[in-house]
Amino acid sequence: MREAPATRTVALVWGVALLTYMVAVFHRSSLAVAGLEASDRFGISAAQLATFTMLQLLVYAGMQIPVGLLVDRFGSRSVMLAGTVMLVVAQTAFALADTYALALLARTLVGIGDALTFICVLRLVSRWFAPLRVPFVTQVTGTLGQLGAVGAAVPMTWALGRWGWTTAYLAAAALGLVLAIATLLVVHDSPDDRNLRGPRLSLSAVGASLAASWSHPGTRLGFWMHFTTQFSSTALSLLWGYPFLVRGEGRSPHEAGLLLSLMIVAVMASGPVLGWLIGRHPWHRSSMVLGIVWSIVAVWTVVLLWPGPAPLWMLVVLVLVAGIGGPASMIGFDLGRTSNPVERLASASGIINQAGFTASLILVVAVGVILDWQTPGGSTAYTPEAFRWAMSAQYVLWALGLAQIWRYRRKARAVIDRTQLEAGVLA
């Protein structure tokens, strides 16, 4: 039996991986508070503005399975380094872009760099921590990673106002250079290997591996849990939260920024709690997700039916409850972890991770299309009524996701050994 790695070494590897993920989240979210500035800079409509995030999410979701296979083949360290460099290039291009087409290309590259990061971090956690600690550390990783979104919500707002578009985004790009150096110096794929390489995979082997992962109802349950929990908070944090709060609910830019930051507070507060709960009660993971989704649905319903702008306290409740959906989506990865052998872990995680971002992509585009339909005058003409129509698109996604969670929850429980699961054997 090999010796457990030193605590300091584990902390260093996890710390650098966590910081890399935080910076990726920062880049992913950096357009959220710049939507109105982007509309003015490029002279674009709501649907065109939504295309930035649509392409970013489309690329991110589409890359998840290939990235999972890359991580299984080349290891977390190499793939994460490539993602960090890609994000530096992407944000530099976005800072200098002076046309809509160039800006679209830059945001596409952001999606690629972002996609090359998170699954690497999940794989590192599974390699460096004991199985019974993985659910908690995974949740803490996802929770602390959202500090990157805080950086996009408040400091980025300040930087845009103080320095302007180009300097603010160039400063954001510089963060990745530091993380690339740290990854080279600190990160190892496992306690025994600096660079862990998997076997070469033929197309037939890739197909068989993905089919085996997808055929397990636990993977499918994790997929639909991720699909249903994440899209509301993602759409708010990436693009539509700021315009919704300012134009739809009549809040000041300062209040909107604080509300979006509160959503990150909810993520950070609830993540470790959920990690502890699923570690103690893994059989009830789907029950936790169902309860959280119904809570999000209920709060959104109150806000959208409120006569006139909702009061500030109600919007605080909205962002806090919606924010819990982010950590709840991480429960899907734990289903994938306990439903697949370690050699398929990254590819199974890729299958699951594309779910929430696919749903987020659909919602982001739907909101933009509905806003343009309701307010053809552009972003300056957005009305509260238009936002009520647009945000109601979420109900279609919730209905689909809840039905599928209930369906695969029964199938997964039929094939998973509860005793082994609760004893930590399934890891």
Side-chain angles (χ1 to χ4, degrees):
M1 180 182 294
R2 68 171 174 82
E3 294 184 13
T7 301
R8 181 175 179 272
T9 303
V10 175
L12 278 174
V13 172
W14 178 64
V16 171
L18 173 61
L19 286 172
T20 302
Y21 175 50
M22 286 171 56
V23 171
V25 172
F26 171 84
H27 290 316
R28 179 197 307 168
S29 307
S30 62
L31 187 59
V33 295
L36 299 179
E37 287 88 347
S39 295
D40 294 336
R41 180 180 177 88
F42 302 112
I44 54 179
S45 66
Q48 288 174 309
L49 177 62
T51 302
F52 279 126
T53 306
M54 178 193 74
L55 274 178
Q56 184 179 328
L57 291 176
L58 182 63
V59 171
Y60 185 95
M63 287 286 292
Q64 290 309 300
I65 292 176
V67 168
L69 294 169
L70 286 172
V71 173
D72 285 338
R73 173 66 179 89
F74 296 105
S76 299
R77 180 176 181 269
S78 298
V79 177
M80 190 165 66
L81 179 61
T84 303
V85 173
M86 179 67 73
L87 285 169
V88 173
V89 173
Q91 287 291 61
T92 300
F94 197 56
L96 301 176
D98 56 3
T99 66
Y100 179 54
L102 288 175
L104 282 177
L105 175 60
R107 293 313 287 184
T108 301
L109 296 178
V110 169
I112 295 174
D114 188 13
L116 291 169
T117 304
F118 182 59
I119 293 177
C120 298
V121 180
L122 288 182
R123 179 66 173 266
L124 286 170
V125 169
S126 70
R127 290 284 185 178
W128 283 88
F129 290 89
L132 288 176
R133 297 191 65 192
V134 169
F136 179 76
V137 177
T138 298
Q139 280 290 349
V140 171
T141 301
T143 296
L144 294 179
Q146 297 311 306
L147 287 173
V150 175
V154 179
M156 195 64 182
T157 301
W158 177 87
L160 285 165
R162 182 69 177 271
W163 298 336
W165 181 280
T166 300
T167 303
Y169 276 101
L170 284 176
L175 294 173
L177 295 175
V178 178
L179 267 300
I181 295 171
T183 299
L184 281 172
L185 295 177
V186 174
V187 174
H188 289 203
D189 282 330
S190 76
D192 299 320
D193 298 280
R194 185 179 183 87
N195 293 291
L196 190 62
R197 299 291 187 251
R200 294 179 181 272
L201 293 176
S202 64
L203 287 177
S204 59
V206 167
S209 176
L210 293 176
S213 294
W214 181 245
S215 66
H216 196 293
T219 303
R220 298 196 188 193
L221 176 58
F223 178 95
W224 288 107
M225 289 162 68
H226 198 269
F227 179 98
T228 314
T229 49
Q230 181 182 318
F231 62 78
S232 186
S233 61
T234 299
L236 288 175
S237 62
L238 285 186
L239 185 62
W240 292 120
Y242 188 82
F244 168 72
L245 293 168
V246 173
R247 298 283 167 80
E249 294 295 331
R251 295 295 158 184
S252 69
H254 177 70
E255 288 175 323
L258 287 177
L259 284 167
L260 291 175
S261 296
L262 276 179
M263 187 162 64
I264 308 307
V265 172
V267 171
M268 297 181 66
S270 61
V273 175
L274 287 176
W276 178 80
L277 285 173
I278 65 176
R280 292 289 300 274
H281 307 286
W283 187 252
H284 299 291
R285 291 172 292 186
S286 58
S287 299
M288 297 177 203
V289 167
L290 287 170
I292 290 168
V293 173
W294 279 115
S295 297
I296 296 171
V297 173
V299 174
W300 264 111
T301 301
V302 172
V303 170
L304 295 178
L305 292 180
W306 199 282
L312 183 60
W313 68 265
M314 190 67 235
L315 295 176
V316 169
V317 174
L318 173 65
V319 296
L320 291 177
V321 174
I324 298 174
S329 71
M330 301 286 287
I331 300 175
F333 295 116
D334 203 58
L335 263 295
R337 180 182 65 87
T338 57
S339 302
N340 293 274
V342 67
E343 62 269 17
R344 291 206 311 261
L345 179 59
S347 54
S349 297
I351 292 172
I352 293 168
N353 202 28
Q354 70 178 342
F357 288 94
T358 299
S360 300
L361 167 63
I362 294 170
L363 180 59
V364 164
V365 175
V367 169
V369 170
I370 294 171
L371 283 175
D372 279 346
W373 166 52
Q374 288 287 306
T375 54
S379 62
T380 57
Y382 293 160
T383 64
E385 186 64 22
F387 270 107
R388 286 191 176 90
W389 277 96
M391 293 303 179
S392 295
Q394 296 178 98
Y395 289 96
V396 177
L397 298 174
W398 281 321
L400 172 61
L402 286 167
Q404 293 291 76
I405 290 173
W406 190 257
R407 174 188 178 190
Y408 285 108
R409 158 190 165 101
R410 290 182 297 168
K411 292 185 176 184
R413 286 185 167 185
V415 299
I416 293 176
D417 187 310
R418 180 173 182 174
T419 301
Q420 289 187 333
L421 180 67
E422 294 180 341
V425 175
L426 299 179

